[in-house]
Amino acid sequence: MHEELSVCFWHFYSLHGITAAYMASIKDATPSSKDDAAPPLSPSSVIAKYQEAARSAIVDALGLFPCTSHSLTLNSGGEAIVQSFVSEPPKQDSGSLGLEESRKMASSERSASAKPKAELAWLSTLSVIHRSGACEHSLTCWCNPTIGVPHLYVAAGIDGDELLMAFEFRPRAEAGYETRLPDGTYPEPTSREMFMQGSTRKELESLYFTPDAVAWYSTMVDAVGTGERGPLIPKAFAGPLTLNARLPLTDASIGVACEAVQAAAVLWLDWYQSAERLDQRRTMLAFAHDTKVRALSLSAITVRLKARFGDDGEFLAAADAGPMDIADRSTAQNAAASSNFGEGEKDATATDMQILADRGTIPADGNAPSSF
């Protein structure tokens, strides 16, 4: 199955114009690449290298800047690191720097201003290696509401004798994906909302969830078979291309998970590079939807990481999620956010989650839907 998937992935890459530079960046990470003079990489190290390669490809392509880096020694034993990247250099106070450092900072800012600013609010990678041998490596990309590209979440890890893998391409609008019937169709619309959701699905299928993307996704689902579980967040927000699975820990399953990481990054980057800016109305709609999705994601990841790594999981989830505020809102957008959204739909995460719990979108006890 691994060899069949590799052929499928290479065809997929050619369809999406995968660059030689990116393939070179992940070459050394493949499970079959072994240096005779060095011991073979551990499964966790192999997964981590694929995660790093995917992150580097996106950071380089979008011209992102390092933002935060958190290292943590787990109370239960082990190490974790969370690294984030943003679309412009974090603000620094030059008054506290020496002359030479101030000049370097000014030069960096001039160089940054000459590049197109990425429409990305937050990119984060989380790597956890527990003393028990368990691990988790994830990559998350939150887009600005000024473009319609789905948000990306992809993760792989190890839990005992099982390999965990998940990915989600989270749409920027509600499209009624949770109403999908077993045969793949949707109910006949009986309300204005259902008509609008059908129209949204058609648009998303033409831009992102194309036949090529669906074919790749179907190959992944076939590969994991009965190991697949429900999405990390409700299907309505996770979208049609979502996978969350537990597989026996073998060389073949590690290969499947790692190639899924790189293929998901390739697909998302292709979407991003073809994206057009949304108008003001659609930007505000995307912002309102994103507020709910980010709150749901934080809730799901917090529950999952606490279950796997104890109380440290809550800190790791918060560091990985980043600020709940959506970057790059203009003054007009801020004003619209103040007037168009109620108190529960502004940027305060705790309030967002409480409102969602009150509506029944997430359980009141904070437990997330089925996950790793």
Side-chain angles (χ1 to χ4, degrees):
M1 173 61 75
H2 186 202
E3 290 75 14
E4 294 174 3
L5 279 170
S6 295
V7 173
C8 174
F9 280 128
W10 283 109
H11 176 61
F12 179 81
Y13 298 147
S14 66
L15 288 174
H16 289 275
I18 182 63
T19 64
Y22 179 70
M23 293 315 300
S25 74
I26 57 90
K27 182 178 179 182
D28 293 335
T30 57
S32 60
S33 295
K34 297 180 181 178
D35 186 343
D36 293 337
L41 293 174
S42 68
S44 177
S45 296
V46 171
I47 296 170
K49 290 195 73 174
Y50 269 83
Q51 177 213 51
E52 292 166 7
R55 179 190 67 194
S56 295
I58 294 174
V59 167
D60 292 346
L62 274 60
L64 302 178
F65 299 87
C67 180
T68 61
S69 181
H70 300 283
S71 297
L72 179 69
T73 298
L74 303 178
N75 291 326
S76 56
E79 302 290 331
I81 184 169
V82 184
Q83 295 177 289
S84 66
F85 295 79
V86 290
S87 58
E88 60 183 349
K91 300 298 182 184
Q92 301 182 54
D93 181 8
S94 61
S96 62
L97 302 175
L99 178 61
E100 190 62 29
E101 288 300 313
S102 296
R103 286 175 174 170
K104 288 182 180 179
M105 187 177 79
S107 176
S108 174
E109 289 176 350
R110 284 195 297 271
S111 175
S113 64
K115 301 176 183 177
K117 187 176 177 180
E119 298 292 344
L120 196 76
W122 188 258
L123 180 151
S124 178
T125 53
L126 167 67
S127 293
V128 186
I129 301 177
H130 195 263
R131 68 179 178 184
S132 66
C135 72
E136 179 160 333
H137 304 280
S138 67
L139 167 68
T140 306
C141 293
W142 294 109
C143 297
N144 282 343
T146 48
I147 60 173
V149 177
H151 304 300
L152 170 67
Y153 174 82
V154 58
I158 296 169
D159 185 13
D161 59 357
E162 291 184 310
L163 180 129
L164 318 177
M165 59 180 293
F167 57 77
E168 293 179 351
F169 300 98
R170 297 164 176 170
R172 312 300 295 284
E174 295 184 33
Y177 287 115
E178 75 280 13
T179 66
R180 185 175 180 176
L181 301 174
D183 63 359
T185 63
Y186 292 87
E188 288 295 322
T190 58
S191 66
R192 181 174 180 273
E193 180 183 19
M194 293 180 68
F195 275 108
M196 292 177 63
Q197 290 177 345
S199 177
T200 299
R201 287 195 299 270
K202 288 181 180 178
E203 181 178 14
L204 292 173
E205 288 166 7
S206 68
L207 293 173
Y208 310 115
F209 308 135
T210 62
D212 287 337
V214 171
W216 165 74
Y217 171 70
S218 297
T219 302
M220 292 305 310
V221 172
D222 290 343
V224 304
T226 58
E228 186 182 4
R229 305 175 71 190
L232 299 180
I233 59 177
K235 185 69 174 180
F237 296 93
L241 307 188
T242 179
L243 186 145
N244 177 25
R246 283 178 175 265
L247 304 172
L249 181 59
T250 64
D251 286 346
S253 65
I254 292 170
V256 169
C258 290
E259 293 195 56
V261 169
Q262 73 184 55
V266 169
L267 179 58
W268 182 87
L269 192 54
D270 184 49
W271 290 344
Y272 176 90
Q273 292 174 329
S274 303
E276 296 182 358
R277 288 181 66 90
L278 302 177
D279 60 28
Q280 179 77 8
R281 181 187 66 84
R282 299 189 71 177
T283 293
M284 290 312 305
L285 291 173
F287 166 68
H289 184 75
D290 287 350
T291 300
K292 301 171 186 177
V293 175
R294 293 189 77 163
L296 284 167
S297 176
L298 176 60
S299 176
I301 291 175
T302 298
V303 171
R304 178 164 56 80
L305 292 182
K306 286 187 71 174
R308 297 199 69 201
F309 306 113
D311 291 340
D312 292 321
E314 187 168 2
F315 169 82
L316 293 173
D320 186 47
M324 288 297 101
D325 189 25
I326 303 298
D328 272 9
R329 293 203 308 251
S330 67
T331 303
Q333 289 171 337
N334 277 317
S338 297
S339 60
N340 292 350
F341 302 138
E343 289 300 316
E345 290 183 321
K346 295 180 183 177
D347 297 332
T349 307
T351 307
D352 288 339
M353 290 169 60
Q354 183 59 53
I355 293 295
L356 290 171
D358 291 343
R359 293 173 179 168
T361 307
I362 57 175
D365 61 3
N367 291 327
S370 161
S371 64
F372 271 174

